[in-house]
Amino acid sequence: MTKLNTCFSLVIAFLLTGLSQLYAQPILKEPLQNYLASFQPEKAHVHTNQYQYSPGERLFYKIYLMSKDGPSSFTKNVYIEWYDQEGKYISRQVIPALMGLSAGDFLIPEKYAGQWIYMKLYTHWMQEQNPTPFLVSSFRVLQANQPVLSPDNSPTGLQIQAQPEGGAWVKGIPSILTISTRNENNLPLSMNCRIVDANGQVVSLVSTAPHGYGQVEITPETSDNYYIQAELPNGTWAQQALPKVLDRGVTLRFDPVDQSFVVQRTADARMAEQNILVALMHKDDLFVETNVSLQQRLRVRGRIRTDSFPSGFHRLIWFDDEKNVLGQRVFFLHKPQPVSLTLDIDTLSVDKKGENVFTLVSLDTLLTSLSVSVTDADFDESHPSNNIYQLMGADIFKSTPTNSHLAARWADQQNYRAIDQWLQAQDIWYPNVNDALAGNLIPLKAEREQSFISISGQITNLGERRTKKAETMNLILSTRDEEKQMMMLELANDGSFKQDDLFYYDSVTVYLQPNKVVITEKNSVSMQTNLLVANPNRLMRVPTLQVDPSSDSILALQKKYAAEKRFLDSLAATRTLDDVVVTTRVKSRIEEMDEKYTTGMFTSDGIRFDIAGDNFAMMMPSVFAFLQGRVAGLQIRLNEFGAPIITWRGDNTAVFLNEVQLQDASVLNNIPMADVAYIKVFRPPFYGAYLGGSGGAIAVYTKRGDEPRNYDFANLRRVKLEGYTKPTSWESTLNPNDDRKKPNKDIRKTLYWNPGIQLDGEVGAYRFRFNNNDVTTRFRVIAEGFNKEGKLVRLEKIVTK
């Protein structure tokens, strides 16, 4: 028995009111599956440490990238543009991504005067392959002496959408009509609506409260136009025509509760419409393809047995006998699963500076990547609409679904009726089935990124003889902190050269010189990276704002916080050295080495080795020979070619040289230990800049004092290239180095933030500690993420005494 026939016999059964012939005809499988497989969108979600900020505060974020098959493997470079309240460009960040994960931070300018700031996130893949090519997130910026502004939720720019089930509305056949109402800010509106006929007679009433959508059953009696009217605040009615009613045809009505359906035709339906072909798909897989005969009856009932179906979104597509599409719809199926993430409270203290110890426990055996925030629950509102569940249905929705938190809640409650109403009101992507049946595919305009930063260039008019003589292009990469790295890249016959998988922060100045050849005025040199070009002149459409009439207590609390923070900041700014009594302890040599050599994420805890001060270490043949047996859990062995294989708990360990990742760890074998100053080993997981490294990391630093610091580059061609935005660790913001910047009173609203937690069956728990501020009495804990197969997980909990 074929797979299709097995699905047919086990999965689907029709409970017929009369005779009907059913045939499994797998004639659509290949073209439909190929077409849907060619649809490869990439969706993004941003988890931030909090939702409201003040000028001068740093916003921390974790980015999750999802494809329909799980964490996205399409992207290695993520672009983030920041816009002010008027939609004017502020700046751009470029951050690396690995395994669909990325993280960063943004410092809101101290003199920022707006109440909203906008984050526009995109990737090269999203720009080319997505129906919606970017994701915009908005954040409130608290201002002490301004009336509170919020997005305008009035009916200005009212948009009414009305969609009959399956897309077809046929005279004389009952149909479910889904109505949604939104304004120009794309905010859902709760409105009273009515359906009227061509004569203005009211046919039915429907409300879109409370979530901006509603459903009503309508049986169109004529093929004349019908209209939907929505009542405006001034008592008038806005009107919009409904989809055209067909004189004859076929409809399919589906019940999401028991997965039953009704296929009904008009008496004068075409012969081709009296034999209906129904296809049911999940992602790219065709589960069922069968005929329903309407030759003997106008109406046939059936039911789909979904016992063996996976959880998730499923597509129903029905055709006439000539394979013309009659309608499409999507339904959701959820099979309850045990809770996969819990929070244990080991130590709880709401005292000033009180220490708290919490433990996240994952019951998932697969590797799960998480971010966690702990905030003041009485200050920072929960924004449930901005959560990891926005990533569900990556291949279903054109844009980010609204109220996804409600859908997740209804799924847990198995409230399929509520989920289906929500689903039919979303902006769903439906395949062009005619294209599919014609054998066409969705064009692939983007290439999967294989490299982080790639630099490439070309020197012209060098000539074949001089190119062969040169053989290589010598590059010297100079960073802002005067670190320099020399590279020799092979010159192609046309004078081009390229280097993949570079990793550097901010920008680099690249000095170029062909080997053994002098560049003359006849030679032009061009050089660029694979990063998308920034456009500082770009404007972004932003929501219109209005004065918030609400006297909500949390808004009042936020304004009070903004005023108090401004006062505390002003006190800190006016303090002098005379006001400060500094008490310090003498730093050990290893602490001094760590402070001298490490930056950013590399300042976090690790196992440290002072090589420069260890005579025994300098006698070792290589870094790897020195590390063998010194770090518990770190496995180092050599393959048959002498290249090191480094693992921790079975996962590959990342290797860095002067905080630049090495794609080939054997490079370190060529560095004498006498040139090594400092080694730092990070236990798993290590989220150093771009890694979610389940295998930890090794960072090797070469000596600086023995290197010549003055270089003569006056006669070399130079090009400045953009790099990654340098991250700031959240921990570094807790204790400013300058005591004058420490606040008199601790009122920070983020008490803990970690974007780099990884749990699996072997390491299933993560314990973290944080100290309370001076005012918080209730903590809001939010942890969210996904596992390596794309299963979404979220936990939100209020913790108090």
Side-chain angles (χ1 to χ4, degrees):
M1 180 176 289
T2 65
K3 178 182 177 182
L4 182 66
N5 288 332
T6 300
C7 291
F8 169 70
S9 61
L10 296 179
V11 178
I12 187 165
F14 291 90
L15 312 176
L16 304 179
T17 56
L19 294 176
S20 178
Q21 299 177 16
L22 309 176
Y23 306 96
Q25 299 184 2
I27 56 177
L28 301 177
K29 181 175 182 178
E30 186 173 345
L32 275 178
Q33 290 191 161
N34 290 343
Y35 187 84
L36 286 174
S38 70
F39 180 53
Q40 296 284 347
E42 181 180 63
K43 300 296 179 65
H45 165 65
V46 180
H47 180 197
T48 55
N49 62 313
Q50 58 193 57
Y51 295 104
Q52 291 91 14
Y53 297 87
S54 295
E57 240 182 322
R58 194 172 290 274
L59 182 157
F60 291 90
Y61 55 83
K62 170 77 172 285
I63 295 171
Y64 296 90
L65 298 174
M66 177 78 83
S67 69
K68 62 182 177 182
D69 298 319
S72 174
S73 60
F74 302 139
T75 290
K76 286 196 172 183
N77 298 303
V78 179
Y79 304 87
I80 295 171
E81 294 176 349
W82 295 92
Y83 291 84
D84 68 11
Q85 186 170 289
E86 306 300 324
K88 297 178 181 178
Y89 179 97
I90 299 175
S91 64
R92 186 177 89 154
Q93 297 176 308
V94 184
I95 55 178
L98 189 66
M99 299 182 293
L101 303 171
S102 191
D105 58 274
F106 175 72
L107 181 63
I108 300 173
E110 287 192 9
K111 295 184 179 180
Y112 186 74
Q115 293 190 33
W116 290 89
I117 198 163
Y118 301 97
M119 174 190 194
K120 179 180 178 181
L121 182 156
Y122 59 94
T123 68
H124 180 58
W125 191 274
M126 290 170 66
Q127 294 274 290
E128 297 294 341
Q129 299 298 136
N130 278 21
T132 303
F134 51 80
L135 172 71
V136 175
S137 302
S138 56
F139 304 97
R140 187 185 291 276
V141 181
L142 304 173
Q143 302 288 354
N145 300 316
Q146 297 182 16
V148 175
L149 298 178
S150 295
D152 185 357
N153 60 1
S154 71
T156 303
L158 174 64
Q159 306 169 48
I160 307 175
Q161 293 185 343
Q163 180 70 21
E165 183 173 8
W169 211 17
V170 181
K171 183 174 71 174
I173 300 180
S175 180
I176 296 294
L177 200 65
T178 301
I179 311 296
S180 63
T181 47
R182 295 178 172 277
N183 68 2
E184 64 180 1
N185 285 338
N186 203 36
L187 294 177
L189 300 174
S190 297
M191 305 192 76
N192 294 321
C193 302
R194 62 191 183 190
I195 310 296
V196 300
D197 61 19
N199 299 317
Q201 297 297 310
V202 177
V203 176
S204 185
L205 302 176
V206 61
S207 171
T208 61
H211 305 303
Y213 58 84
Q215 288 185 333
V216 61
E217 181 179 299
I218 298 287
T219 303
E221 301 298 337
T222 73
S223 58
D224 295 335
N225 288 336
Y226 285 80
Y227 300 89
I228 182 166
Q229 297 178 340
E231 186 177 15
L232 299 174
N234 61 7
T236 61
W237 295 79
Q239 178 172 289
Q240 181 173 305
L242 291 174
K244 182 175 176 57
V245 178
L246 303 178
D247 282 316
R248 61 179 183 172
V250 179
T251 66
L252 186 148
R253 184 166 171 179
F254 181 80
D255 189 328
V257 176
D258 62 1
Q259 292 82 52
S260 64
F261 61 88
V262 175
V263 183
Q264 186 170 348
R265 69 173 175 89
T266 58
D268 58 347
R270 297 180 300 109
M271 286 297 297
E273 295 173 333
Q274 296 181 26
N275 196 40
I276 306 304
L277 184 65
V278 179
L280 189 150
M281 304 192 71
H282 175 70
K283 294 187 177 178
D284 304 341
D285 294 327
L286 181 63
F287 277 25
V288 175
E289 180 183 331
T290 190
N291 278 1
V292 178
S293 175
L294 294 171
Q295 293 177 354
Q296 305 298 322
R297 287 197 170 273
L298 300 180
R299 189 170 184 267
V300 173
R301 292 181 58 85
R303 179 174 176 271
I304 302 173
R305 291 179 180 161
T306 58
D307 297 346
S308 61
F309 280 25
S311 293
F313 297 95
H314 297 72
R315 295 183 184 272
L316 276 175
I317 310 174
W318 50 100
F319 307 80
D320 66 17
D321 205 27
E322 297 172 348
K323 308 305 174 287
N324 297 308
V325 180
L326 299 176
Q328 301 185 57
R329 68 112 72 205
V330 173
F331 70 95
F332 183 77
L333 185 64
H334 178 72
K335 298 184 177 179
Q337 298 178 346
V339 174
S340 58
L341 187 66
T342 62
L343 181 70
D344 293 340
I345 309 302
D346 305 313
T347 303
L348 176 63
S349 173
V350 295
D351 298 335
K352 291 183 179 180
K353 306 295 189 298
E355 184 182 51
N356 294 270
V357 182
F358 294 176
T359 301
L360 282 172
V361 180
S362 174
L363 305 180
D364 197 332
T365 58
L366 298 178
L367 180 65
T368 301
S369 298
L370 299 168
S371 48
V372 62
S373 63
V374 181
T375 58
D376 185 336
D378 292 319
F379 167 82
D380 202 32
E381 290 181 280
S382 175
H383 280 233
S385 60
N386 181 25
N387 62 68
I388 194 75
Y389 295 118
Q390 291 178 326
L391 292 178
M392 63 181 178
D395 60 333
I396 296 295
F397 303 108
K398 290 183 180 179
S399 55
T400 301
T402 59
N403 293 320
S404 56
H405 65 293
L406 296 177
R409 182 198 308 165
W410 292 328
D412 289 337
Q413 299 169 350
Q414 293 188 285
N415 188 346
Y416 290 133
R417 187 82 64 197
I419 292 178
D420 197 66
Q421 289 185 8
W422 165 83
L423 181 57
Q424 304 313 313
Q426 302 302 315
D427 192 11
I428 295 175
W429 178 82
Y430 288 107
N432 187 327
V433 179
N434 291 329
D435 268 5
L437 297 183
N440 298 325
L441 300 177
I442 299 173
L444 190 63
K445 300 177 182 178
E447 293 184 2
R448 188 187 305 264
E449 289 184 328
Q450 303 293 339
S451 173
F452 291 102
I453 297 178
S454 293
I455 60 174
S456 59
Q458 186 174 25
I459 180 169
T460 63
N461 300 323
L462 198 59
E464 182 178 355
R465 183 182 61 82
R466 298 177 73 206
T467 301
K468 288 183 177 180
K469 179 181 178 182
E471 294 183 345
T472 62
M473 174 66 78
N474 298 333
L475 306 181
I476 298 175
L477 279 65
S478 176
T479 62
R480 286 187 178 180
D481 57 5
E482 297 301 320
E483 291 294 327
K484 293 176 173 60
Q485 179 181 358
M486 186 170 181
M487 306 173 65
M488 294 183 292
L489 305 184
E490 182 180 355
L491 272 177
N493 292 334
D494 62 355
S496 62
F497 52 93
K498 185 178 181 181
Q499 176 65 45
D500 291 328
D501 268 335
L502 287 176
F503 193 95
Y504 55 87
Y505 292 123
D506 297 324
S507 62
V508 294
T509 300
V510 182
Y511 300 88
L512 306 94
Q513 176 63 52
N515 191 35
K516 305 175 186 177
V517 172
V518 177
I519 299 178
T520 68
E521 295 180 355
K522 296 180 179 180
N523 307 122
S524 63
V525 179
S526 60
M527 195 169 183
Q528 59 281 323
T529 70
N530 59 331
L531 302 180
L532 299 179
V533 178
N535 182 5
N537 298 318
R538 180 180 291 150
L539 297 175
M540 187 178 77
R541 183 184 179 277
V542 296
T544 56
L545 302 174
Q546 63 178 4
V547 175
D548 197 322
S550 171
S551 59
D552 191 284
S553 60
I554 200 163
L555 286 177
L557 180 65
Q558 290 166 353
K559 289 196 68 176
K560 180 181 178 182
Y561 165 76
E564 187 172 6
K565 186 175 187 304
R566 174 177 290 185
F567 174 72
L568 292 173
D569 289 346
S570 66
L571 280 181
T574 57
R575 294 173 71 189
T576 66
L577 283 174
D578 293 336
D579 301 322
V580 181
V581 177
V582 181
T583 58
T584 63
R585 64 180 180 85
V586 177
K587 294 180 180 178
S588 66
R589 175 178 168 83
I590 197 72
E591 289 174 328
E592 291 177 346
M593 296 287 285
D594 196 72
E595 183 176 318
K596 176 181 178 181
Y597 286 98
T598 64
T599 62
M601 288 290 187
F602 293 88
T603 60
S604 58
D605 288 341
I607 304 167
R608 302 174 294 185
F609 299 97
D610 175 10
I611 306 301
D614 185 344
N615 293 330
F616 174 79
M618 287 189 285
M619 291 188 293
M620 299 298 290
S622 70
V623 167
F624 302 118
F626 170 78
L627 288 175
Q628 278 184 324
R630 293 179 179 269
V631 180
L634 182 67
Q635 302 293 322
I636 301 175
R637 59 188 179 87
L638 302 180
N639 66 14
E640 57 183 320
F641 302 105
I645 300 174
I646 314 162
T647 59
W648 204 325
R649 294 202 318 247
D651 294 323
N652 291 332
T653 301
V655 178
F656 292 82
L657 177 60
N658 295 325
E659 298 184 359
V660 176
Q661 188 193 11
L662 298 176
Q663 298 303 307
D664 181 4
S666 62
V667 170
L668 291 183
N669 286 330
N670 300 321
I671 298 179
M673 286 295 287
D675 291 341
V676 176
Y678 184 58
I679 298 175
K680 194 169 184 180
V681 180
F682 299 91
R683 297 180 179 89
F686 175 65
Y687 202 83
Y690 69 96
L691 292 174
S694 56
I698 299 172
V700 177
Y701 298 85
T702 53
K703 293 178 180 177
R704 295 179 179 179
D706 297 336
E707 296 174 350
R709 305 306 298 166
N710 299 312
Y711 300 85
D712 183 11
F713 298 143
N715 297 320
L716 299 183
R717 300 288 180 94
R718 68 185 67 185
V719 179
K720 190 172 184 178
L721 299 177
E722 181 184 15
Y724 291 129
T725 305
K726 194 168 188 176
T728 301
S729 67
W730 177 77
E731 291 83 0
S732 68
T733 65
L734 298 181
N735 297 298
N737 292 328
D738 187 346
D739 281 356
R740 289 172 293 173
K741 294 183 180 180
K742 292 183 179 179
N744 297 49
K745 182 179 180 182
D746 185 0
I747 60 172
R748 59 194 165 88
K749 300 310 174 186
T750 296
L751 303 168
Y752 184 79
W753 167 253
N754 188 341
I757 300 172
Q758 292 201 336
L759 302 175
D760 56 23
E762 184 177 343
V763 181
Y766 178 78
R767 175 172 292 182
F768 59 96
R769 302 171 182 270
F770 65 92
N771 291 97
N772 193 15
N773 57 22
D774 293 344
V775 295
T776 296
T777 58
R778 299 194 310 147
F779 306 125
R780 184 188 307 278
V781 182
I782 296 178
E784 59 182 15
F786 51 45
N787 70 12
K788 69 177 185 179
E789 291 184 351
K791 177 186 174 183
L792 306 176
V793 59
R794 188 174 197 271
L795 178 149
E796 180 172 349
K797 188 172 183 177
I798 302 295
V799 180
T800 187
K801 280 286 190 182

